[in-house]
């Protein structure tokens, strides 16, 4: 792949609106980095609770340099203010939360860390699944629900992607290093079941390379009948990833099916997860897909008898339409797909490319048209952010939210280049 508790209240940078032909981008918060106790490098898009608050994580930063969990809430004046809910300490409480958080009905947050937890893994730690709960007075408590044992040879074993709830409040996720096949980074799919005596971990599938490898950045998704879908970035018959389905058989058993093995010719590295529509079609992104290996957006449609039909919706060309789409696209209410690319775009002065927000519009007959609706680093110094690994999430009124790993405006200070959270209104 080419891609590379204490509570602190920090005031967000001034809102930075950018008007483009197809919409408006607004920076809600620019991260200040470890020196200010704030976050640094958000890899996952934030999520919104029922009250309109945004929650997310950063990979680095915080009081100990091991990442944070944050909340953004709208003030009475219409601006957004950040609260650092938890600074990860890098030991028993976990470190390096690459995936975001999910919110239950009571307002508790759940997520995973790639490192931390069990310190017997070569001094690095193996990762945890955690819960953050409001404790009153603006403070939050963390509970470690599970500590991963790590790979056979030590190292990280925790989730890289966000977790997924089922209808009963059980948690599902993937790991890249906690495997039993000895391949180093094959990975697993797991369930954490909420029982009367605590949370119990159950392996749904252990990858061994030929059936997929390294299910990294994409969260799992359920269909209406309880089947789970996901992707891996590598492995499979072509070595560059698979789209897979896990179907419950009862008594804790699940059946694994490889829906598609990506090939070297079509590209792959499709570890950004999937979006499922109301009729069961799956949509995702290949970071190295297409003839120029700049990336592609694909769809798989159930064709009956366990068969699926693939349709490539768009292949990227770097400039001006973007390259390296890491995360799955999201629908708007009109059936259009929106997503981000890590690089590419039409800002010639941006170092190592800046990234885009793209829109895919259905044209009928399986054809889609692509347009770039925002170019990152449209502001000098990347004040609007650039290089978004994270995709987008949509609220109830049609706004999209995301995060960039770099850039952001910091008032009165030298730009931190620590990333930003933004809103995009088509």
């Amino acid at each position: 792949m080419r891609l590379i508790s204490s509570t602190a209240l920090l005031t967000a940078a001034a809102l930075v609106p950018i008007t483009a032909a197809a919409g408006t981008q607004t920076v809600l918060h620019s991260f200040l980095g470890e020196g200010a106790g704030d976050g640094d490098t958000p890899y996952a898009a934030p999520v919104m609770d029922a009250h309109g608050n945004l929650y997310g994580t950063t990979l680095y930063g915080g009081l100990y340099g091991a990442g944070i969990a944050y909340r953004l809430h709208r003030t009475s004046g219409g601006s957004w203010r950040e609260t650092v809910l938890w600074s990860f300490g890098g030991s028993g409480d976990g470190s390096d939360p690459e995936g975001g958080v999910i919110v239950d009905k009571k307002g508790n947050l759940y997520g995973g860390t790639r490192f931390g937890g069990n310190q017997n893994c070569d001094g690095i730690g193996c990762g945890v699944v955690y819960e953050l709960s409001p404790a009153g007075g603006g403070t939050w408590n963390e509970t470690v629900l599970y500590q991963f044992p790590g790979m056979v040879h030590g190292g990280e074993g925790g989730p890289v992607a966000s977790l997924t709830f089922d209808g009963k409040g059980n948690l599902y996720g993937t790991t890249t290093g906690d495997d039993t096949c000895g391949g180093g980074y094959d990975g697993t799919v797991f369930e954490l079941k909420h029982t009367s005596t605590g949370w119990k971990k159950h392996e749904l599938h252990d990858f061994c390379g030929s059936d997929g490898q390294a299910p990294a950045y994409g969260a799992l998704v359920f269909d209406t009948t309880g089947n789970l879908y996901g992707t891996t970035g590598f492995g499979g018959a072509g070595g560059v990833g698979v789209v897979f389905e896990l179907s419950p058989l009862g008594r804790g058993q699940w059946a694994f099916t490889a829906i598609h093995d990506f090939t070297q010719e079509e590209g792959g590295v499709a570890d950004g997860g999937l979006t499922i529509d109301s009729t069961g079609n799956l949509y995702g992104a290949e970071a190295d897909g297409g003839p120029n290996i700049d990336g592609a957006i694909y769809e798989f449609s159930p064709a009956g008898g366990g068969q699926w039909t693939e349709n490539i919706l768009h292949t990227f060309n770097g400039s001006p339409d973007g390259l390296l789409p890491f995360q799955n696209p999201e629908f708007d209410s009109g059936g259009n797909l929106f997503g981000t690319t890590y690089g590419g775009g039409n800002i010639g002065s941006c170092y190592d490319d800046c990234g885009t927000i793209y829109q895919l519009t259905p044209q009928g007959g399986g054809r889609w048209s692509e347009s770039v609706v925002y170019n990152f680093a449209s502001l000098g110094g990347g004040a609007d952010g650039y290089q978004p690994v994270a995709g987008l999430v949509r609220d109830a009124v049609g706004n999209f939210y995301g995060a960039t790993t770099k850039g952001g405006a910091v008032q009165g200070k030298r730009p931190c280049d620590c990333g930003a959270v933004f809103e995009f209104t088509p």
Side-chain angles (χ1 to χ4, degrees):
M1 183 186 299
R2 291 181 289 181
L3 180 65
I4 334 225
S5 167
S6 61
T7 302
L9 190 64
L10 296 166
T11 302
L15 299 184
V16 184
I18 307 294
T19 302
T24 301
Q25 192 253 27
T26 303
V27 172
L28 306 184
H29 179 72
S30 296
F31 291 99
L32 303 175
E34 180 179 352
D38 196 11
D40 184 347
T41 313
Y43 257 60
V47 297
M48 182 170 281
D49 69 9
H51 305 289
N53 303 304
L54 292 169
Y55 297 85
T57 61
T58 68
L59 182 59
Y60 308 119
L63 298 177
Y64 314 105
I68 68 166
Y70 66 85
R71 177 180 65 191
L72 290 172
H73 69 278
R74 197 188 300 270
T75 69
S76 58
S79 63
W80 290 74
R81 177 169 292 178
E82 186 217 31
T83 302
V84 176
L85 306 181
W86 190 262
S87 286
F88 291 93
S91 56
D93 65 335
S95 71
D96 298 71
E98 290 193 43
V101 293
I102 55 177
V103 188
D104 70 12
K105 295 178 181 179
K106 297 180 180 179
N108 304 303
L109 309 179
Y110 299 84
T113 69
R114 187 168 189 170
F115 299 107
N118 182 354
Q119 289 300 295
N120 294 321
C121 294
D122 296 337
I124 298 174
C126 302
V128 305
V129 171
Y130 62 86
E131 175 186 0
L132 291 173
S133 303
T139 63
W140 288 65
N141 290 332
E142 190 212 39
T143 302
V144 173
L145 307 182
Y146 183 79
Q147 292 186 348
F148 289 88
M151 299 183 299
V152 174
H153 306 293
E156 89 272 13
V160 178
S162 301
L163 304 174
T164 300
F165 281 125
D166 68 8
K168 298 179 180 179
N170 302 309
L171 296 168
Y172 296 78
T174 60
T175 68
T176 59
D178 178 29
D179 69 86
T180 61
C181 292
Y185 289 94
D186 290 334
T188 67
V189 179
F190 68 88
E191 173 195 21
L192 279 181
K193 192 170 186 177
H194 199 186
T195 72
S196 58
T197 57
W199 294 80
K200 304 298 182 183
K201 179 173 174 282
H202 174 58
E203 299 284 348
L204 306 188
H205 184 72
D206 290 282
F207 292 99
C208 289
S210 61
D211 57 345
Q213 186 179 46
Y217 298 109
L220 300 166
V221 293
F222 277 103
D223 68 11
T224 56
T225 60
N227 301 304
L228 268 176
Y229 299 89
T231 61
T232 72
F234 300 96
V240 287
V242 303
V243 177
F244 65 86
E245 174 186 9
L246 283 166
S247 301
L249 300 175
R251 298 182 179 272
Q253 301 300 306
W254 294 68
F256 176 89
T257 302
I259 292 174
H260 182 73
D261 291 78
F262 291 101
T263 66
Q264 295 287 343
E265 290 74 21
E266 67 178 318
V269 192
D271 56 0
L274 298 164
T275 296
I276 188 168
D277 68 14
S278 59
T279 59
N281 300 306
L282 304 172
Y283 302 82
E286 305 169 64
D288 282 351
N292 300 317
I293 65 169
D294 287 334
I297 306 300
Y298 60 83
E299 172 191 11
F300 284 96
S301 301
Q307 301 300 306
W308 294 75
T309 300
E310 181 185 22
N311 181 28
I312 300 298
L313 308 187
H314 180 71
T315 58
F316 292 92
N317 296 298
S319 180
D321 67 336
L323 75 148
L324 296 176
F326 278 95
Q327 285 284 358
N328 53 301
E330 291 291 331
F331 279 103
D332 69 2
S333 59
N336 305 299
L337 286 168
F338 287 79
T340 60
T341 66
Y342 176 77
N346 200 30
I347 305 296
S349 61
C350 184
Y351 173 73
D352 197 26
D353 300 309
C354 296
T356 69
I357 299 175
Y358 64 84
Q359 176 180 340
L360 289 171
T361 304
Q363 302 296 307
R367 295 179 298 106
W368 295 66
S369 64
E370 190 255 10
S371 57
V372 173
V373 293
Y374 188 74
N375 283 284
F376 288 99
S378 292
L379 283 184
D384 53 333
Y386 62 102
Q387 295 186 354
V389 175
L392 300 170
V393 296
R394 186 171 69 94
D395 67 13
V397 297
N399 301 305
F400 290 94
Y401 300 86
T404 65
T405 59
K406 294 185 178 180
V410 179
Q411 278 191 324
K413 299 182 179 182
R414 181 176 177 272
C416 175
D417 207 30
C418 294
V421 177
F422 64 85
E423 176 187 68
F424 177 75
T425 304

